[in-house]
Amino acid sequence: MMAQLSLPGVATPPGPRHATRRRRSRSRRRLLYGALILLLVLTAAGAWVVYSGIRAKDNLLRAAGEVRVLQTQAESGNVAGERISLASLQREAHSARVETGGPIWRLARVTPIVGSNAAAITTVASAVDDLAQHVLPSLVDTSATLDLQAIAPHDGRIDLAPIQHAAPAIVDAATALQRVHDQVAGISTSGLAPIVRRSVLQLRSELDAAVTTTSTAARAVTLLPPMLGATQPRTYALLFQNNAELRATGGIAGSWAIVRVEHGAVHIVKQGSAGDVNSHLSGVPVPPDVAALYTNRPGTFFQDVDMAPSFPTDATLASEMFEQAYGIAVDGVISTDPVALAGLLKATGPVQLPHGESLTASNAVPLLLSQVYQDIQDPAQEDTFFAQAANAVFNALSAGQGDARATVEALADAAGAGRLTVWSRHPDEEKLLADTELEGAMPVTERPGSPTVGVFLNDGTGAKLDYYLHENVAVTPAVSCPAGRIAFHVLVTLTSTVRANAKGLPAYVTGEPRSGVSLGTMGTQVVVSAPLGGSIVSATVGGVRSSIGTGGESGRSDGVVFVDLAPGETKTIDIELATADLSADIRAHGLDPHLRLTPLAVPALLHLPHISCTND
């Protein structure tokens, strides 16, 4: 072989080994350049995401401000202002959606670490824009046409045409809002940056409230025309519950009225008392789960028809009693109490009673639940007085007396406090009433982490002492929790404000003297209903271990304790509950319980903290 020669000044062609090194060097440089370019692109994209994210945040903050203005204008009836605010809101919301759209944000959404945050921001911006473009316009248009004063009763009649005209738009808006709500509810908050997580949770909370409001409005405009006799006449029983003698849903159904409704025209056709029904009654069947806890009394005595805390059950029994006693087949049952009437009197103003008394918002509760028993000793005359008071308020409402907006607010407040409940015999209407405040029942489903607990009271004295009963309900965590569940205590503190020896109270209020018991002592059945799938663990009364009756009404476990309260006495009933088996995530984050209570003459004081296992 000839040796390769190298001439001075002349480059020698590279050999195979040198060529390989040169190719590797060029590849590394290309990779380095590519990496630098990718880094620059990602840096620019990141900067753009941050820049556009800040702009989107500003848009969303301004949009939130417009929403608050819009709410104020809607409440005051400023339709012109609503339209201006809506237009501004739509611009800001659309700008936020544009800022978080495009290819760079699509790339950001699939990028590790930042992807979940970018996806959440994009979803929030889209949700707010959908609200502005597809939900709020219908609601603003409706507020311009659905004037509460126009649909308020006049001369005993409600004009149904505006309600029927507005119904499709309200239903469509509620449906669209539910879609947006579900979209935001689907955002996982795990791993989000704190500021993004707070924004998602805040929007979720506001959407929860908005869905409740719009779905209630949608149900109302769907229900009201047929229930007010738009297509055929309707007959309803109105029950007036007396909170001076407690039953689970409020008080004994001491007085009632039968109301006829046709094309929005409303008039009372019959009135009476519990005793009137009882005199024509042989008894109606009681559901087995109700009878197991409350005996057959709810189907035997009209004043006990509402011992069970499920108003649909109580109303069904009441309707069967009216049919048996009078041959009247009612289309539904509506119940209220003197506290709700006082709220309505704030809207209507005072009403005059036949003997010259004035029934006002300030005197309705003490007059109807206490003073009447001081002034009138004859139960028959008391029943007449109650009927006259109910007539006076009914006539004021049907005549359109007072402010319509205040009347609607009073009705909403009464429903929220469990003081206005409605049941319909018609299945499609009862389905729409289900899971609303008007239904008056424990929910059949619960959101994870938000269990509902019931605390219900039934008078066992057969007197009118519960006007003087005060209640404080608190929920506290248990010391330890069963595996996979959370346990907590429901503390029900009852206080009697009756004076010693029931001084100054007539026998009709104190009831019959009981052997070994101070006059004026209240006997009360306390029923605590556990969350769905939960259980009753134990009970104490005044710190002493107590026997507890148990049962299962409406698919829940119930604990029953009977308590005597002497005049001026306070006792605390402590019932420990355990939830159903929980997911690890809910167990880690704890519970936010809700309460449903018997409405007393004096509203109960509540303490509902966040609950978690103290041993974790």
Side-chain angles (χ1 to χ4, degrees):
M1 294 180 63
M2 292 182 61
Q4 188 173 11
L5 298 178
S6 175
L7 298 176
V10 178
T12 304
R17 187 173 299 170
H18 292 91
T20 300
R21 284 199 294 267
R22 294 272 305 269
R23 283 195 296 271
R24 289 175 177 170
S25 177
R26 285 195 298 270
S27 297
R28 284 196 294 269
R29 284 197 296 272
R30 282 196 294 268
L31 287 172
L32 178 61
Y33 295 152
L36 287 172
I37 292 170
L38 178 60
L39 179 61
L40 288 172
V41 169
L42 290 175
T43 301
W48 174 254
V49 167
V50 171
Y51 171 71
S52 59
I54 291 172
R55 287 168 58 95
K57 182 197 75 170
D58 292 340
N59 291 133
L60 290 172
L61 286 174
R62 287 192 290 269
E66 293 293 353
V67 169
R68 287 189 286 272
V69 172
L70 193 60
Q71 288 174 327
T72 302
Q73 291 165 334
E75 290 169 1
S76 64
N78 181 3
V79 177
E82 283 183 74
R83 296 195 185 283
I84 294 172
S85 297
L86 176 61
S88 177
L89 168 61
Q90 288 176 321
R91 287 193 298 271
E92 298 293 352
H94 185 65
S95 296
R97 187 171 200 157
V98 170
E99 292 289 355
T100 57
I104 292 179
W105 274 84
R106 285 196 293 273
L107 175 64
R109 291 200 295 272
V110 297
T111 302
I113 302 175
V114 301
S116 59
N117 289 281
I121 293 168
T122 301
T123 301
V124 167
S126 298
V128 173
D129 189 40
D130 286 340
L131 285 173
Q133 310 301 333
H134 306 302
V135 177
L136 292 175
S138 295
L139 297 179
V140 170
D141 289 343
T142 299
S143 70
T145 58
L146 192 60
D147 178 16
L148 287 178
Q149 204 62 45
I151 64 172
H154 293 284
D155 300 324
R157 183 178 180 276
I158 298 171
D159 185 3
L160 301 179
I163 301 174
Q164 292 170 305
H165 177 73
I170 294 176
V171 171
D172 288 347
T175 303
L177 180 60
Q178 185 65 56
R179 284 198 299 268
V180 174
H181 171 275
D182 293 346
Q183 186 181 11
V184 174
I187 300 174
S188 172
T189 57
S190 177
L192 294 182
I195 187 172
V196 177
R197 186 174 187 273
R198 285 195 300 271
S199 299
V200 170
L201 293 177
Q202 181 182 353
L203 179 59
R204 191 178 291 173
S205 175
E206 291 173 354
L207 285 173
D208 284 344
V211 163
T212 299
T213 301
T214 55
S215 64
T216 299
R219 294 185 199 212
V221 296
T222 303
L223 282 167
L224 281 173
M227 292 190 74
L228 290 173
T231 55
Q232 60 183 6
R234 292 291 185 92
T235 302
Y236 297 100
L238 302 184
L239 306 185
F240 301 102
Q241 298 197 31
N242 186 331
N243 314 88
E245 187 173 348
L246 289 175
R247 295 294 182 267
T249 60
I252 63 167
S255 58
W256 50 267
I258 301 297
V259 175
R260 185 77 166 170
V261 186
E262 187 170 5
H263 297 299
V266 187
H267 60 279
I268 294 176
V269 298
K270 190 177 184 64
Q271 285 183 274
S273 67
D276 296 332
V277 179
N278 291 338
S279 64
H280 296 88
L281 194 64
S282 61
V284 298
V286 177
D289 58 343
V290 174
L293 278 172
Y294 307 105
T295 73
N296 288 318
R297 293 183 65 88
T300 306
F301 304 102
F302 195 76
Q303 62 267 36
D304 293 327
V305 73
D306 49 353
M307 288 187 75
S310 168
F311 185 70
T313 299
D314 304 340
T316 301
L317 291 173
S319 69
E320 292 170 354
M321 288 181 172
F322 280 116
E323 188 155 14
Q324 185 183 106
Y326 301 108
I328 299 174
V330 298
D331 291 286
V333 180
I334 302 168
S335 179
T336 190
D337 69 10
V339 180
L341 292 182
L344 288 171
L345 287 166
K346 287 182 181 179
T348 64
V351 297
Q352 293 301 121
L353 300 179
H355 296 293
E357 303 101 322
S358 182
L359 193 64
T360 70
S362 59
N363 76 4
V365 174
L367 179 59
L368 296 174
L369 295 181
S370 176
Q371 190 62 41
V372 63
Y373 304 116
Q374 306 281 344
D375 299 340
I376 304 174
Q377 302 298 315
D378 179 10
Q381 292 182 26
E382 290 168 357
D383 291 339
T384 300
F385 180 82
F386 292 137
Q388 291 170 344
N391 251 326
V393 177
F394 179 86
N395 290 336
L397 288 172
S398 61
Q401 180 176 320
D403 179 68
R405 187 176 297 275
T407 298
V408 171
E409 290 173 356
L411 292 171
D413 290 343
R419 301 182 187 276
L420 176 64
T421 43
V422 179
W423 170 80
S424 174
R425 182 188 296 276
H426 303 271
D428 55 335
E429 295 172 1
E430 183 61 15
K431 185 177 180 180
L432 286 173
L433 288 167
D435 297 326
T436 69
E437 292 173 329
L438 288 171
E439 183 190 26
M442 296 288 282
V444 296
T445 60
E446 293 177 336
R447 286 192 305 167
S450 299
T452 300
V453 175
V455 177
F456 307 107
L457 309 178
N458 280 301
D459 173 75
T461 312
K464 300 294 185 290
L465 287 168
D466 290 321
Y467 174 74
Y468 305 95
L469 181 65
H470 291 196
E471 181 184 31
N472 190 316
V473 181
V475 177
T476 61
V479 173
S480 61
C481 293
R485 300 191 288 168
I486 293 178
F488 54 92
H489 294 269
V490 178
L491 305 176
V492 183
T493 301
L494 300 178
T495 299
S496 168
T497 62
V498 175
R499 290 187 290 178
N501 299 316
K503 185 178 178 181
L505 296 179
Y508 189 73
V509 172
T510 62
E512 294 294 327
R514 289 187 283 161
S515 176
V517 176
S518 303
L519 186 65
T521 295
M522 303 177 187
T524 305
Q525 181 195 56
V526 181
V527 181
V528 174
S529 186
L532 282 172
S535 59
I536 308 295
V537 178
S538 63
T540 63
V541 177
V544 178
R545 190 83 169 189
S546 171
S547 61
I548 182 169
T550 57
E553 194 265 333
S554 297
R556 292 173 180 260
S557 294
D558 296 322
V560 183
V561 175
F562 196 87
V563 179
D564 273 338
L565 276 183
E569 188 176 18
T570 294
K571 285 184 179 177
T572 295
I573 302 94
D574 177 353
I575 296 186
E576 184 177 345
L577 306 178
T579 59
D581 289 340
L582 301 173
S583 69
D585 182 60
I586 294 173
R587 186 170 161 80
H589 289 94
L591 303 174
D592 291 298
H594 299 275
L595 281 176
R596 183 168 169 257
L597 308 174
T598 295
L600 276 61
V602 178
L605 298 177
L606 306 179
H607 179 61
L608 284 172
H610 182 76
I611 297 295
S612 59
C613 284
T614 57
N615 63 331
D616 285 351

